[in-house]
Amino acid sequence: MKSLLDIRHGSVVVDLGCGAGVDLPAYAEAAGCAGKVIGIDHDQALLAHAGSSTNHLPTVSTIRADIHRLPLEAGTVDRIHIDRVLQHVHSPPTVLAEAARTLSPAGLIVCVEPDWATLIIDHPDIAFSNSYTRHVVARVIRNATIGRALPRLLDAAGFSVDAIVPVTAHWTDAVEADHVLGFRHVCEHAVIDRVLPAERTQSWIDGLMSGPFFGSMSLFIVSAHIKSRSLPSTI
């Protein structure tokens, strides 16, 4: 990730949806004492954690804000990082347009997003596994197929795509996978809402938790730069 961002000494780096700020120290190290790192998130509790873990770093700051309306001046940012955030936001095009507005002409953006339609979970009842994935895409994740849409959305926001790196995450431990995918929680709510049948859902969950497990999903890392802005012709 850091290599795709290509952070230089003195860079201004913004992490949109920074959460607990786990990446901020690495960005600060790469940008050096002349750089500046800003983490932006709407969750005050996560920002408090980010602040407490970076308060010893003078070049790092955190801001509570809606990333649809960034509190940053136009053209003042060199690098923007967005990691698994666009899948949840109200309007990905608006967030990307704001990113384009704030980036300098030589600025870069790196986005990482999953495509939940690629989620596969092995189980003898393969039809139910497929139904589960369709349920997640249709009802659980707001922008479930954002991963595949990144190149198109970035282009529409004024970016030229430099690289697309597909990554397939996989799990062989059901408990570990559940921590990431939350399939038990999703199933519980789907049964309550009568979207998935209770008995078959419980049988599926029991099978996942008791037997050998395999699941996988694809994510896409896309880096892009601001398109050249042609100057108006003069006569």
Side-chain angles (χ1 to χ4, degrees):
M1 178 66 65
K2 228 169 44 165
S3 60
L4 283 176
L5 275 171
D6 189 28
I7 298 172
R8 309 291 180 86
H9 185 79
S11 291
V12 176
V13 185
V14 175
D15 192 0
L16 297 183
C18 67
V22 294
D23 294 317
L24 302 182
Y27 297 157
E29 181 181 5
C33 60
K36 185 178 181 181
V37 176
I38 305 169
I40 300 179
D41 204 287
H42 75 283
D43 190 308
Q44 186 60 53
L46 288 175
L47 280 179
H49 183 83
S52 65
S53 63
T54 59
N55 57 17
H56 64 290
L57 300 171
T59 62
V60 176
S61 61
T62 58
I63 301 173
R64 186 183 185 187
D66 179 355
I67 63 173
H68 293 84
R69 296 184 296 276
L70 294 176
L72 302 170
E73 296 294 327
T76 59
V77 177
D78 300 303
R79 302 290 186 265
I80 288 180
H81 171 239
I82 309 177
D83 190 346
R84 290 166 290 181
V85 172
L86 295 176
Q87 62 179 323
H88 301 302
V89 302
H90 175 70
S91 174
T94 301
V95 174
L96 293 176
E98 275 290 271
R101 179 187 67 80
T102 60
L103 277 172
S104 67
L108 298 175
I109 187 171
V110 174
C111 302
V112 184
E113 296 294 337
D115 190 317
W116 285 87
T118 67
L119 173 65
I120 59 170
I121 298 177
D122 180 49
H123 190 280
D125 190 349
I126 190 65
F128 187 91
S129 291
N130 292 338
S131 295
Y132 174 82
T133 295
R134 289 194 296 270
H135 169 68
V136 170
V137 171
R139 293 173 174 262
V140 179
I141 305 297
R142 172 176 273 163
N143 306 305
T145 58
I146 188 71
R148 74 181 71 178
L150 281 176
R152 170 173 54 83
L153 295 175
L154 285 163
D155 178 79
F159 292 95
S160 291
V161 171
D162 297 316
I164 302 171
V165 181
V167 177
T168 300
H170 72 276
W171 301 268
T172 56
D173 182 274
V175 174
E176 179 186 354
D178 190 35
H179 286 157
V180 178
L181 303 174
F183 50 78
R184 286 190 291 187
H185 177 76
V186 170
C187 283
E188 178 183 350
H189 283 272
V191 168
I192 292 172
D193 294 339
R194 298 185 178 180
V195 176
L196 295 176
E199 185 175 344
R200 192 173 178 188
T201 300
Q202 190 59 55
S203 175
W204 186 74
I205 290 289
D206 291 344
L208 296 181
M209 303 308 293
S210 62
F213 180 87
F214 177 78
S216 74
M217 183 172 64
S218 293
L219 299 90
F220 298 91
I221 305 172
V222 182
S223 63
H225 66 274
I226 295 291
K227 292 178 183 177
S228 299
R229 298 184 176 98
S230 56
L231 297 174
S233 59
T234 58
I235 299 177

